[in-house]
Amino acid sequence: MQVTALEWVITIVVILALFVFDFFAHVRTPHEPTFRESGFWSAVYIGIALAFGGFVAWQWGSTFAGEYYAGFVTEKALSVDNLFVFLIIMSTFAVPRIYQQKALLIGIVIALVMRGVFIAVGAAAINAFSWVFYLFGLFLIYTAAKLIKESGHEVEHEEKRDSRIVALAKRVLPTTDSYDGDKLITRVDGRRAVTPLLLTLLAIGFADLLFALDSIPAIYGLTSEPYLVFTANAFALMGLRQLYFLIGGLLDRLVYLSYGLSAILAFIGVKLVLHALHENTLPFINGGEHVSVPEISTGLSLGVILGILVIATVASLARTRSSVAKR
């Protein structure tokens, strides 16, 4: 897949322009978005993401389009799990609903920048060392096991992490417990102080860092093209703010989402290990020769990922519906 420097520049400019438009059209004036507004713009951004896959198919072929769609669906699913963490952070810092949009959008931009750095580092590592796929695969399998272990205790883990971030920030920065509109820094008794909204952003930024550690190896298990990795991440993050307000009330009903994401990460981890074995150059494995193992196609990967998400969602809604009915 050949992507010119001009195509990279145009893509980045268009993505940044969409974020700038989002800020001035929806976030600049503090307000709580309506269900209709959130639903409309969520559909718009998902439509743009799907249309971009059509552009990839036209420009570079259906194989790369399939890799993009598989990466986009995986990143979007992981992003929904991220929303649950964002909801906990917003509750922990008691962020007023009308100011949550600003915190979310800035947090999403921070996430995109961090992922851009990880994508570049990952691409350089893969080009230099094929055995990196072993590390990515084993890390995803470990992450999958960790997700299952922490399932049901996400709130406790996130609250502990947030309290540490706040404690560290208060040691080095003057802070206030009061909000001053949507300002990040205010004045208290003539001195500058950090508002809880900035502390919220710090917590979201740290969470974004942890999310990037999971999501970038996952998508490199579906495509080795940095351009597709970047665009799939960018379009998955785009519209995440609207999705937060659209399905915020449904997040606690997706009780099996963590199990579904765990299964997806484990599946991609196994796929990466198989790919690493197929491309093996490590001398202590099969004498440094390639190992003849089956490789999982992009089409099968997309089918498995979609299937797991459908099963996890349907099972979650059925479980919560039966629980409500028993009451």
Side-chain angles (χ1 to χ4, degrees), residues 102-140:
K102 183 173 183 178
L104 284 168
L105 185 62
I106 296 175
I108 289 167
V109 172
I110 292 172
L112 184 59
V113 172
M114 286 184 177
R115 292 187 188 196
V117 173
F118 276 90
I119 289 166
V121 172
I126 288 169
N127 287 332
F129 313 104
S130 61
W131 50 262
V132 166
F133 285 112
Y134 283 116
L135 297 181
F136 282 0
L138 294 174
F139 178 74
L140 288 182

Side-chain angles (χ1 to χ4, degrees), residues 5 79 135 155 170 241 257 294:
S79 295
L135 297 181
V155 174
K170 287 187 174 181
R241 177 185 60 79
L257 179 62

Side-chain angles (χ1 to χ4, degrees), residues 222-236:
L222 300 167
T223 178
S224 59
E225 298 293 336
Y227 182 77
L228 297 182
V229 173
F230 175 76
T231 51
N233 268 275
F235 286 117

Side-chain angles (χ1 to χ4, degrees), residues 34-62:
T34 63
F35 184 85
R36 182 178 179 181
E37 177 187 340
S38 299
F40 174 77
W41 285 105
S42 291
V44 167
Y45 285 120
I46 289 175
I48 292 172
L50 296 177
F52 182 79
F55 168 75
V56 172
W58 170 72
Q59 185 75 359
W60 293 287
S62 59

Side-chain angles (χ1 to χ4, degrees), residues 24 52 55 64 92-93 104 111 135 155 162 196 216 224 274 276 289:
F24 282 99
F52 182 79
F55 168 75
F64 291 117
T92 301
F93 290 96
L104 284 168
L135 297 181
V155 174
D162 292 344
I216 300 307
S224 59
L274 290 175
E289 299 296 325

Side-chain angles (χ1 to χ4, degrees), residues 110-289:
I110 292 172
L112 184 59
V113 172
M114 286 184 177
R115 292 187 188 196
V117 173
F118 276 90
I119 289 166
V121 172
I126 288 169
N127 287 332
F129 313 104
S130 61
W131 50 262
V132 166
F133 285 112
Y134 283 116
L135 297 181
F136 282 0
L138 294 174
F139 178 74
L140 288 182
I141 294 171
Y142 163 77
T143 302
K146 187 167 175 283
L147 262 180
I148 292 178
K149 183 179 178 182
E150 293 181 357
S151 181
H153 303 282
E154 294 89 350
V155 174
E156 294 91 333
H157 284 285
E158 187 57 39
E159 286 178 345
K160 285 181 182 177
R161 191 159 57 204
D162 292 344
S163 64
R164 290 178 193 145
I165 294 171
V166 172
L168 178 61
K170 287 187 174 181
R171 282 199 201 106
V172 297
L173 297 170
T175 61
T176 176
D177 295 329
S178 303
Y179 284 91
D180 184 7
D182 62 348
K183 293 180 180 178
L184 303 180
I185 298 175
T186 187
R187 285 189 176 274
V188 178
D189 297 329
R191 296 180 60 190
R192 288 187 177 182
V194 169
T195 68
L197 193 60
L198 183 54
L199 296 179
T200 303
L201 283 176
L202 291 176
I204 290 176
F206 185 75
D208 287 335
L209 177 62
L210 298 181
F211 295 150
L213 290 174
D214 297 340
S215 65
I216 300 307
I219 194 171
Y220 268 121
L222 300 167
T223 178
S224 59
E225 298 293 336
Y227 182 77
L228 297 182
V229 173
F230 175 76
T231 51
N233 268 275
F235 286 117
L237 289 172
M238 205 170 290
L240 196 59
R241 177 185 60 79
Q242 291 86 351
L243 198 60
Y244 172 88
F245 290 97
L246 183 64
I247 68 171
L250 295 176
L251 287 174
D252 57 349
R253 297 181 62 187
L254 299 176
V255 292
Y256 294 127
L257 179 62
S258 291
Y259 293 100
L261 294 177
S262 176
I264 290 172
L265 292 177
F267 169 75
I268 298 175
V270 171
K271 183 179 187 294
L272 278 168
V273 172
L274 290 175
H275 179 74
L277 288 169
H278 190 267
E279 302 292 328
N280 179 62
T281 56
L282 295 178
F284 53 86
I285 298 178
N286 198 36
E289 299 296 325

